[in-house]
Amino acid sequence: MTVGALVAAAWALALCGTFAVALWRSFGGRGAAVVDRQPMRMALLRPCAGAEPWLEANLTSLDPAALGPGAVVVFGVASASDPAWPVCAAAAETLRGRGVDARALVTGAQAPNMKSAQLAAMAAAIGEVEVIVNADSDVDLGSVDWGAWLSPFRASTRLGARWVPPVEAPGLTLGDRASEALLAGSLHAFPILAGLDPGGLVGKLVALDAEALKRVGGFEALTHHLGEDMELARRLRAAGYAVSAMPGVARARVSGRSLAAVRARYARWVMVIRAQRPALLWSYPALFFASALVVPLLSGLALGCRGPLGAGLGALALGLATLRLTLGARARALAGRPRGLVGLVVDWGLSEALLAAAWASALGPREVVWRGRRLQIDAAGALRGASARAEGAAGREA
């Protein structure tokens, strides 16, 4: 028992150290200081697929005055038969009525990674710009401070990407609640993870230096990667560009998901790690969903040991639980959705159980189902699979 207790104690100390570092870094500033708030020539690209209930509200959720002169907004769908097409066309018309250069485009994109193919087609349809912004269709842009976000690109010629950590708005189902707990109340919450992995990038809402993007191959080079954002960050860093996260969060409107659907979504994320950063795969059971196991394990060992060892194990279990709950509270504060103690405990259990289930699923066959398309990942980490056939005339605009 003594050997097992020492191993458990060492594991707990490693977790405590990780949580402490994550907490410490979460209080530091991120990214370059704001130097010049003058608007930049930018293009906002929003790849779409499927007509979700919140789609039109998200696509029109921006302040035209904040975009600045010369800004271009493009909504892209692969096919005119996609239910998102009429919504995109209507949203573009709405924004044009507000004085924005907005257009909806049928891209005809066909590739394993349809998002990257869509972005490549949309980027090819715009003129010369300084910054290209991708905003996924589920992101609400109403609270984005465009000047603070984009102005650091003026201050540095080596800033390649600046992304905004995503969180989710409250949903309706247990699956929604579990996903919210993971993204807003755990070590894997992106406002927290941005401090632990400062060179990482989450592409849900990201601004890219247009010249840097061109130099690393553009969006076209990402069409055979499941984790296009992770590959883009790798390419930018290799080319000498900086990647940074912006303080604040991007809010995504998603709801009505089952636990199975949410598990499958995060299994795809873990599959990205397996394919593109395999050395990090085992960090998940070691760090990201370990504390819910280690705390009761230490507590049980403490009850079975006498004397100083038992007292020490009990104190370590209490310290680890306190740090984990504090980390959850900090993640919630950064997400702008604080919770009481009961809510933090629920976050702890739901987030680690969800991540453990997703990790286990990702250890199976190297394939994923993404928007109804079954795709395989080969031994080199490349995404393979027949693309869904795009219908309608590619290049059609509205």
Side-chain angles (χ1 to χ4, degrees):
M1 179 178 285
T2 300
V3 173
L6 292 176
V7 170
W11 193 2
L13 287 171
L15 285 168
C16 287
T18 301
F19 294 164
V21 169
L23 280 166
W24 175 262
R25 292 185 179 178
S26 75
F27 286 96
R30 294 199 293 269
V34 174
V35 175
D36 183 352
R37 296 182 65 89
Q38 293 300 310
M40 302 184 72
R41 288 182 294 112
M42 56 87 71
L44 171 61
L45 310 182
R46 306 207 68 172
C48 302
E52 302 292 346
W54 29 258
L55 181 59
E56 186 170 7
N58 283 340
L59 297 185
T60 57
S61 63
L62 52 83
D63 177 7
L67 294 179
V72 180
V73 179
V74 184
F75 307 128
V77 296
S79 163
S81 65
D82 191 305
W85 170 245
V87 181
C88 289
E93 184 176 1
T94 297
L95 290 184
R96 286 195 296 269
R98 300 176 186 171
V100 178
D101 180 0
R103 60 194 79 163
L105 178 68
V106 176
T107 65
Q110 297 189 58
N113 187 317
M114 287 291 287
K115 175 181 173 180
S116 294
Q118 293 252 72
L119 289 170
M122 286 187 280
I126 61 176
E128 291 295 321
V129 294
E130 296 172 274
V131 174
I132 294 177
V133 174
N134 170 72
D136 284 4
S137 61
D138 60 355
V139 176
D140 183 339
L141 298 177
S143 61
V144 171
D145 184 341
W146 295 93
W149 182 20
L150 302 184
S151 60
F153 287 96
R154 287 192 183 277
S156 172
T157 59
R158 304 310 296 174
L159 178 59
R162 200 164 191 235
W163 59 281
V164 186
V167 297
E168 293 179 352
L172 303 173
T173 65
L174 182 58
D176 295 336
R177 178 67 181 86
S179 184
E180 181 193 359
L182 181 61
L183 291 183
S186 75
L187 183 63
H188 208 288
F190 290 118
I192 295 292
L193 203 56
L196 284 180
D197 185 16
L201 186 158
V202 178
K204 185 171 284 290
L205 182 57
V206 58
L208 302 163
D209 180 271
E211 182 62 26
L213 177 63
K214 184 185 302 182
R215 289 185 178 181
V216 299
F219 293 117
E220 298 89 342
L222 308 173
T223 57
H224 285 80
H225 293 274
L226 177 61
E228 75 285 339
D229 46 5
M230 188 173 291
E231 175 63 13
L232 178 58
R234 186 195 69 78
R235 288 170 178 251
L236 287 170
R237 293 194 306 268
Y241 290 97
V243 175
S244 68
M246 179 182 171
V249 294
R251 301 196 182 280
R253 295 175 178 170
V254 285
S255 62
R257 297 163 296 174
S258 67
L259 272 173
V262 169
R263 177 195 54 76
R265 177 195 184 195
Y266 291 109
R268 287 195 300 272
W269 288 19
V270 180
M271 188 65 79
V272 172
I273 300 297
R274 180 183 174 186
Q276 295 171 221
R277 298 180 72 179
L280 295 180
L281 182 62
W282 295 97
S283 69
Y284 279 77
L287 297 174
F288 287 99
F289 56 83
S291 61
L293 169 66
V294 174
V295 167
L297 175 62
L298 279 177
S299 300
L301 289 170
L303 292 174
C305 295
R306 297 181 179 179
L309 180 59
L313 292 173
L316 188 53
L318 179 60
L320 176 57
T322 301
L323 267 174
R324 175 59 181 83
L325 291 171
T326 303
L327 180 75
R330 177 59 180 160
R332 278 287 180 180
L334 290 171
R337 293 194 55 79
R339 293 275 184 186
L341 180 59
V342 173
L344 294 175
V345 172
V346 172
D347 278 355
W348 183 4
L350 281 177
S351 63
E352 298 203 4
L354 174 58
L355 202 51
W359 181 83
S361 296
L363 296 182
R366 296 170 68 91
E367 63 178 32
V368 295
V369 177
W370 192 6
R371 288 191 177 270
R373 302 163 65 238
R374 188 170 296 276
L375 303 166
Q376 293 186 333
I377 303 169
D378 67 20
L383 195 62
R384 307 291 182 195
S387 300
R389 186 171 182 83
E391 301 175 3
R396 175 179 171 186
E397 289 191 12

